[in-house]
């Protein structure tokens, strides 16, 4: 079984204003969160939560 841990850091609202759609997806989207035989954890400073899938 594979185990991954990702950390997402908080962003300033001023910084987010200048991001285009692709950059927003790179910073905030968590694609493929459910994969067979894999545990993925994502810690996000924006909401101070851990997503486990």
């Amino acid at each position: 079984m594979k185990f991954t841990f990702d950390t997402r850091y908080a962003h300033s609202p001023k910084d987010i204003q200048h991001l285009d759609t692709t950059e927003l997806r790179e910073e905030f989207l968590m694609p493929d969160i459910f994969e067979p035989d894999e545990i993925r954890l994502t810690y996000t400073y924006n909401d101070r939560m851990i997503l486990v899938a």
Side-chain angles (χ1 to χ4, degrees), residues 6-41:
D6 185 30
T7 303
R8 303 287 178 100
Y9 296 97
H11 296 78
S12 163
K14 291 180 182 179
D15 294 336
I16 294 172
Q17 291 176 3
H18 304 289
L19 299 179
D20 63 18
T21 303
T22 303
E23 292 169 326
L24 285 170
R25 286 184 177 151
E26 288 173 359
E27 294 297 324
F28 294 102
L29 184 66
M30 291 183 276
D32 306 321
I33 59 173
F34 296 106
E35 292 291 329
D37 297 323
E38 188 170 343
I39 298 174
R40 294 183 177 191
L41 285 86

